[in-house]
């Protein structure tokens, strides 16, 4: 697929997605790498745009340069965003009470603390992504290391074998110090790469995934 065809497919997919307004989004493609520019009114829409582009066949990578520009001049104050974020996280039953701290500066939300699992870290970010006034999230929550390197490696490899979207034999799993995982290999589609990364994150004690899997 050439770049011009891929660009048109991306534009069509963005227009097809009802939850976003693609009028102010720019798309450039070079060698399968997509650069997104322009602006959207919410942080949630920015993430949705990236998800939409990821699912288009032929996309090898994304450079995300979209800005978040909330509607109107009366933006939500940082202290109000922080209050809502704390409440949203507190209402989420998958996040342990008191495990996550919130800091807000000029609409940017920084999350810190420690949790047991990656899904809890993700849940904290998801709890605040749709709040009014949020322009970005820095998720600095740490994951406590629980399992041995051998156990982590085996769990990830077993998960890859069970996953219908991945070819497990094409992916190499390396366990580094401190709960870090490195994935290497080559897959046919971006969805396979993301499925492999999600499998790695699902193992207990993993707090960083270095995804070096190539697509093509």
């Amino acid at each position: 697929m050439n770049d011009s065809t891929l660009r048109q497919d991306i534009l069509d997919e963005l227009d097809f997605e009802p939850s976003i307004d693609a009028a102010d989004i720019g798309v450039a493609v070079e060698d399968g790498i997509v650069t997104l520019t322009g602006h959207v009114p919410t942080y949630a829409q920015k993430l949705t745009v990236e998800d939409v582009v990821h699912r288009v066949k032929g996309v090898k990578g994304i450079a995300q340069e979209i800005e978040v520009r909330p509607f109107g001049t009366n933006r939500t104050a940082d202290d109000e965003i922080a209050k809502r974020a704390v409440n949203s996280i507190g209402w989420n039953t998958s996040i342990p009470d008191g495990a996550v701290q919130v800091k807000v500066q000029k609409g940017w939300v920084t999350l810190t603390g420690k949790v047991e699992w990656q899904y809890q870290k993700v849940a904290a970010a998801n709890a605040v992504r749709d709040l009014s006034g949020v322009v970005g999230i820095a998720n600095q929550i740490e994951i406590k290391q629980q399992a041995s390197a051998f156990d982590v490696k085996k769990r990830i490899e077993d998960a890859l074998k069970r996953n219908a979207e991945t070819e497990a034999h094409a992916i190499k799993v390396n366990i580094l110090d401190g709960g870090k995982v490195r994935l290497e290999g080559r897959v046919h589609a971006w969805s396979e790469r993301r499925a492999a990364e999600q499998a790695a994150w699902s193992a207990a004690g993993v707090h960083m995934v270095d995804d070096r899997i190539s697509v093509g």
Side-chain angles (χ1 to χ4, degrees), residues 32-33 50 54-56 58-63 156 159-160 163-168 170-173 181-202 209-216:
I33 305 299
E50 187 170 339
H54 270 144
R55 69 189 185 213
V56 177
V59 172
K60 297 180 180 178
I62 296 176
I156 294 173
L160 290 173
N163 196 310
E165 288 191 72
T166 63
E167 296 183 27
I171 300 170
K172 183 178 180 181
V173 180
V181 176
R182 177 181 295 158
L183 301 176
E184 297 175 303
R186 180 179 292 272
V187 294
H188 298 297
W190 192 269
S191 59
E192 293 180 69
R193 186 178 191 266
R194 297 187 74 187
E197 190 172 322
Q198 289 171 357
W201 275 122
S202 297
V209 175
D210 179 10
D211 191 347
R212 301 187 181 186
I213 298 172
S214 58
V215 179

Side-chain angles (χ1 to χ4, degrees), residues 4-79:
S4 60
T5 301
L6 178 56
R7 179 178 183 275
Q8 189 58 54
D9 286 349
I10 292 170
L11 292 172
D12 291 342
E13 191 70 13
L14 289 171
D15 286 335
F16 184 72
E17 173 58 48
S19 65
I20 59 176
D21 181 0
D24 297 312
I25 298 173
V27 178
V29 181
E30 185 175 355
D31 296 329
I33 305 299
V34 182
T35 300
L36 301 172
T37 56
H39 58 89
V40 291
T42 66
Y43 180 66
Q45 281 199 32
K46 178 178 178 178
L47 296 181
T48 300
V49 169
E50 187 170 339
D51 287 340
V52 168
V53 175
H54 270 144
R55 69 189 185 213
V56 177
K57 184 178 180 180
V59 172
K60 297 180 180 178
I62 296 176
Q64 171 65 281
E65 299 177 7
I66 295 176
E67 296 180 33
V68 177
R69 298 181 186 175
F71 287 128
T73 56
N74 296 321
R75 299 190 178 186
T76 308
D78 286 346
D79 59 344

